[in-house]
Amino acid sequence: VIDLQDQHADFPQPNRILKLARRPVGVPVMTDWKILEEPVRAPMPGECVVAVDHISIDPAMRGWIDDVSSYLPPVRLDQVMRALGVGRVVRSRDDRLPVGTVVQGLLGVQRFAVVNGRWLNSVDESLGSARSHLGVLGQTGLTAYFGLFSVGRPVAGDTVVVSAAAGAVGSIVGQLARLAGCRVIGVAGGPEKCRFVREELGFDEAVDYKSENVTEALSGLCPTGIDVYFDNVGGLILEAALANLALHARVVICGAISQYNATIVSPGPSNLWQLLVKRATMQGFLVIDHTDDFPRARAKLSEWLSRGALLGPETVVQGDVDQFPEALLGLFRGDNVGKLVLSLDVSST
Ligand SMILES: NC(=O)c1ccc[n+]([C@@H]2O[C@H](COP(=O)([O-])OP(=O)(O)OC[C@H]3O[C@@H](n4cnc5c(N)ncnc54)[C@H](OP(=O)(O)O)[C@@H]3O)[C@@H](O)[C@H]2O)c1
């Protein structure tokens, strides 16, 4: 007989966990979630207890909670919400990850994660802060890197357009395209984000999709057409980019955030035939297909970062797992500039 009380006895703090209570319809609401406290179970051989410091808030989370099969199975009801995170090992039964190791992995929206060490990666803080391993040195920067260089394949002198340009991935894509010698135009919501990408990130131009006609604005700014369009948004902004392609353009389908909360199926871009006219290619990609190359790309991103050629903007929400539902909605309202992270400021053992 296993005495559960004994198993938990050596861990002094309860876990605070955000779980999926029901599947949202449209924009998630508070009652789609529940927050509870449970004891932290003792790690089994090979497992670690990780105190979660930073939780990555990602648009993809909205897809993970629909009951639709995708590149990952849906988060189950009453299961901890899936999330990438960074934290510290506070109990270890994996010799490779002693107590104190900073690790990254799918830690979930909770204060403590009990995870098999094989699913954790130790974080090299000499490359950048622990938190930046969720942003510019993490999935975000790697998405920008592989999406742009492997799929977009820009050449110096190309015109590159990126949507959600002031967001996590978009802000890095534009800077990498500038480093590759391209002319870069960002599409973002509002004058402040447009100023930010131009003046602080060095983009050549920006279009405010909330106040401008994007098709006309891109036509004026791209007289020879768009060579690489990096799409984070889908919908009407994708349509506006397709209307302005250059010959042999590459369209990178990275995300479609404008569709993630949709309750009715929206019609596709009305002008896909522009791909034919311009002999263009449109390709979807997933960053996780490039895992083997992550160390090489991360080293390159870190080098640019350390010599000030690349900025990794972040918006940090400070608090507890309770702040997660509202933080997630912030992505759809455009509250963030750069990578959105929930940092837990609870003291932990
Ligand atoms: N394929 C992959 O492997 C992969 C990996 C990571 C991320 N992604 C995708 O990449 C995209 C960007 O992700 P991220 O983490 O960098 O998020 P993010 O850009 O930091 O945040 C989302 C941004 O999207 C914009 N937005 C929200 N609703 C919009 C709408 N209806 N129309 C236009 N813009 C809207 C908002 O900026 P504004 O204020 O400018 O509206 C918001 O700040 C997402 O679609 C995500 O799913 C794909």
Side-chain angles (χ1 to χ4, degrees), residues 151-153 225-229 238 241-253 271-283:
V151 184
R153 302 185 313 281
I226 301 167
D227 297 293
V228 179
Y229 173 55
L238 172 59
L242 291 176
N244 285 288
L245 296 180
L247 202 62
H248 303 304
R250 283 82 66 202
V251 178
V252 184
I253 301 296
N271 55 353
L272 270 180
W273 49 272
Q274 281 297 329
L275 295 173
L276 173 163
V277 174
K278 299 295 168 42
R279 283 79 108 196
T281 54
M282 180 151 101
Q283 186 180 333

Side-chain angles (χ1 to χ4, degrees), residues 83-102:
L84 271 172
V86 165
R88 288 155 295 116
V89 174
V90 290
R91 299 279 190 281
S92 179
R93 296 191 69 189
D94 180 339
D95 294 341
R96 295 164 308 134
L97 299 170
V99 167
T101 311
V102 178

Side-chain angles (χ1 to χ4, degrees), residues 102-341:
V102 178
V103 290
Q104 191 253 32
L106 282 173
L107 303 180
V109 183
Q110 55 186 341
R111 288 185 189 169
F112 299 101
V114 185
V115 186
N116 192 299
R118 89 170 79 112
W119 304 120
L120 297 170
N121 298 307
S122 54
V123 164
D124 182 354
E125 288 181 280
S126 73
L127 296 179
S129 71
R131 196 171 62 208
S132 72
H133 283 73
L134 294 178
V136 59
L137 296 180
Q139 204 100 311
T140 291
L142 295 164
T143 298
Y145 186 97
F146 290 108
L148 182 66
F149 294 129
S150 301
V151 184
R153 302 185 313 281
V155 228
D158 273 356
T159 296
V160 174
V161 174
V162 57
S163 54
V169 172
S171 62
I172 308 295
V173 168
Q175 294 179 84
L176 296 183
R178 288 281 299 143
L179 285 167
C182 300
R183 184 165 167 267
V184 177
I185 297 157
V187 180
E192 176 48 29
K193 287 194 176 183
C194 288
R195 185 206 64 76
F196 175 77
V197 301
R198 271 195 317 263
E199 294 178 17
E200 300 191 35
L201 302 183
F203 288 30
D204 297 283
E205 305 284 353
V207 174
D208 176 0
Y209 77 88
K210 291 188 173 166
S211 68
E212 295 181 63
N213 177 316
V214 182
T215 306
E216 284 173 14
L218 289 178
S219 161
L221 292 170
C222 310
T224 58
I226 301 167
D227 297 293
V228 179
Y229 173 55
F230 193 107
D231 191 25
N232 288 313
V233 164
L236 293 174
I237 298 179
L238 172 59
E239 192 166 284
L242 291 176
N244 285 288
L245 296 180
L247 202 62
H248 303 304
R250 283 82 66 202
V251 178
V252 184
I253 301 296
C254 175
I257 193 169
S258 71
Q259 325 275 297
Y260 295 169
N261 286 312
T263 48
I264 46 164
V265 179
S266 51
S270 64
N271 55 353
L272 270 180
W273 49 272
Q274 281 297 329
L275 295 173
L276 173 163
V277 174
K278 299 295 168 42
R279 283 79 108 196
T281 54
M282 180 151 101
Q283 186 180 333
F285 96 104
L286 272 179
V287 66
I288 51 178
D289 291 340
H290 298 267
T291 318
D292 291 346
D293 267 348
F294 279 6
R296 180 183 60 80
R298 188 176 284 120
K300 194 73 198 146
L301 290 163
S302 160
E303 181 200 318
W304 280 317
L305 203 58
S306 62
R307 64 178 165 88
L310 178 65
L311 299 179
E314 294 173 340
T315 297
V316 181
V317 174
Q318 206 80 36
D320 205 338
V321 298
D322 307 49
Q323 270 69 54
F324 171 83
E326 199 46 38
L328 179 65
L329 294 184
L331 284 178
F332 299 99
R333 288 190 300 253
D335 290 355
N336 64 308
V337 167
K339 176 70 205 163
L340 183 61
V341 176

Side-chain angles (χ1 to χ4, degrees), residues 50-68:
V50 180
V52 180
D53 290 320
H54 308 290
I55 295 170
S56 178
I57 312 281
D58 293 295
M61 290 170 150
R62 179 62 191 84
W64 297 343
I65 55 181
D66 280 336
D67 196 11
V68 175

